[in-house]
Short mmCIF file of all heavy atoms in Angstrom, two decimals:
data_model
loop_
_atom_site.label_atom_id
_atom_site.label_comp_id
_atom_site.label_asym_id
_atom_site.label_seq_id
_atom_site.Cartn_x
_atom_site.Cartn_y
_atom_site.Cartn_z
N PRO S 165 -5.01 4.92 31.21
CA PRO S 165 -5.69 3.68 30.83
C PRO S 165 -5.28 2.46 31.66
O PRO S 165 -5.98 1.45 31.66
CB PRO S 165 -5.30 3.50 29.37
CG PRO S 165 -3.99 4.22 29.23
CD PRO S 165 -4.08 5.37 30.18
N TYR S 166 -4.17 2.57 32.39
CA TYR S 166 -3.69 1.42 33.16
C TYR S 166 -4.23 1.43 34.59
O TYR S 166 -4.34 0.38 35.22
CB TYR S 166 -2.15 1.41 33.18
CG TYR S 166 -1.55 1.42 31.80
CD1 TYR S 166 -1.00 2.60 31.26
CD2 TYR S 166 -1.53 0.28 31.02
CE1 TYR S 166 -0.45 2.62 30.00
CE2 TYR S 166 -0.97 0.29 29.74
CZ TYR S 166 -0.44 1.46 29.23
OH TYR S 166 0.10 1.48 27.98
N THR S 167 -4.55 2.64 35.11
CA THR S 167 -5.01 2.73 36.50
C THR S 167 -6.41 3.33 36.62
O THR S 167 -6.96 3.35 37.72
CB THR S 167 -4.03 3.59 37.31
OG1 THR S 167 -4.04 4.93 36.78
CG2 THR S 167 -2.61 3.04 37.24
N ALA S 168 -6.96 3.85 35.52
CA ALA S 168 -8.24 4.55 35.52
C ALA S 168 -8.20 5.79 36.43
O ALA S 168 -9.23 6.24 36.92
CB ALA S 168 -9.38 3.63 35.95
N GLU S 169 -7.02 6.36 36.59
CA GLU S 169 -6.86 7.59 37.38
C GLU S 169 -7.02 8.80 36.46
O GLU S 169 -6.44 8.85 35.38
CB GLU S 169 -5.48 7.62 38.03
CG GLU S 169 -5.19 8.92 38.79
CD GLU S 169 -3.73 9.02 39.23
OE1 GLU S 169 -2.97 8.06 38.99
OE2 GLU S 169 -3.37 10.07 39.79
N VAL S 170 -7.82 9.76 36.91
CA VAL S 170 -8.02 10.99 36.14
C VAL S 170 -6.77 11.86 36.27
O VAL S 170 -6.35 12.22 37.38
CB VAL S 170 -9.27 11.74 36.63
CG1 VAL S 170 -9.38 13.09 35.92
CG2 VAL S 170 -10.52 10.91 36.40
N LYS S 171 -6.20 12.23 35.11
CA LYS S 171 -4.96 13.01 35.10
C LYS S 171 -5.21 14.51 34.97
O LYS S 171 -4.28 15.30 35.17
CB LYS S 171 -4.09 12.55 33.93
CG LYS S 171 -3.77 11.06 33.93
CD LYS S 171 -2.79 10.71 35.03
CE LYS S 171 -1.43 11.31 34.76
NZ LYS S 171 -0.45 10.93 35.80
N GLY S 172 -6.43 14.88 34.65
CA GLY S 172 -6.74 16.29 34.51
C GLY S 172 -7.75 16.50 33.39
O GLY S 172 -8.24 15.55 32.79
N ASP S 173 -8.07 17.74 33.12
CA ASP S 173 -9.02 18.07 32.06
C ASP S 173 -8.61 19.36 31.38
O ASP S 173 -7.91 20.20 31.97
CB ASP S 173 -10.44 18.19 32.61
CG ASP S 173 -10.60 19.40 33.51
OD1 ASP S 173 -10.18 19.32 34.69
OD2 ASP S 173 -11.14 20.42 33.05
N LEU S 174 -9.03 19.53 30.13
CA LEU S 174 -8.74 20.73 29.35
C LEU S 174 -9.96 21.07 28.50
O LEU S 174 -10.75 20.20 28.15
CB LEU S 174 -7.54 20.51 28.42
CG LEU S 174 -6.17 20.25 29.06
CD1 LEU S 174 -5.16 19.85 27.98
CD2 LEU S 174 -5.69 21.49 29.81
N THR S 175 -10.08 22.35 28.17
CA THR S 175 -11.08 22.77 27.20
C THR S 175 -10.47 22.64 25.81
O THR S 175 -9.48 23.32 25.50
CB THR S 175 -11.52 24.22 27.46
OG1 THR S 175 -12.13 24.31 28.75
CG2 THR S 175 -12.53 24.67 26.42
N THR S 176 -11.02 21.77 24.99
CA THR S 176 -10.42 21.47 23.69
C THR S 176 -11.34 21.91 22.56
O THR S 176 -12.53 22.16 22.75
CB THR S 176 -10.15 19.96 23.57
OG1 THR S 176 -11.37 19.23 23.78
CG2 THR S 176 -9.14 19.51 24.62
N TRP S 177 -10.77 21.94 21.35
CA TRP S 177 -11.51 22.28 20.13
C TRP S 177 -11.08 21.32 19.04
O TRP S 177 -9.93 21.32 18.62
CB TRP S 177 -11.21 23.72 19.73
CG TRP S 177 -11.95 24.19 18.51
CD1 TRP S 177 -13.29 24.47 18.41
CD2 TRP S 177 -11.39 24.45 17.22
NE1 TRP S 177 -13.59 24.88 17.13
CE2 TRP S 177 -12.43 24.89 16.38
CE3 TRP S 177 -10.09 24.37 16.71
CZ2 TRP S 177 -12.23 25.23 15.05
CZ3 TRP S 177 -9.89 24.70 15.38
CH2 TRP S 177 -10.95 25.12 14.58
N PHE S 178 -11.99 20.43 18.63
CA PHE S 178 -11.67 19.37 17.68
C PHE S 178 -10.46 18.55 18.16
O PHE S 178 -9.64 18.12 17.36
CB PHE S 178 -11.39 19.94 16.29
CG PHE S 178 -12.61 20.40 15.57
CD1 PHE S 178 -12.85 21.75 15.40
CD2 PHE S 178 -13.54 19.50 15.07
CE1 PHE S 178 -13.97 22.21 14.74
CE2 PHE S 178 -14.67 19.94 14.39
CZ PHE S 178 -14.89 21.30 14.23
N GLY S 179 -10.35 18.37 19.45
CA GLY S 179 -9.26 17.60 20.02
C GLY S 179 -8.00 18.39 20.29
O GLY S 179 -7.05 17.85 20.87
N SER S 180 -7.95 19.64 19.90
CA SER S 180 -6.75 20.46 20.09
C SER S 180 -6.72 21.06 21.48
O SER S 180 -7.76 21.47 22.02
CB SER S 180 -6.69 21.59 19.05
OG SER S 180 -6.60 21.07 17.74
N THR S 181 -5.53 21.13 22.06
CA THR S 181 -5.36 21.73 23.38
C THR S 181 -5.58 23.24 23.31
O THR S 181 -5.59 23.82 22.21
CB THR S 181 -3.95 21.47 23.91
OG1 THR S 181 -3.00 22.17 23.08
CG2 THR S 181 -3.63 19.97 23.91
#
Side-chain angles (χ1 to χ4, degrees):
Y166 304 103
T167 64
E169 175 189 357
V170 174
K171 303 289 292 182
D173 68 281
L174 296 171
T175 298
T176 56
W177 182 72
F178 287 107
S180 297
T181 66

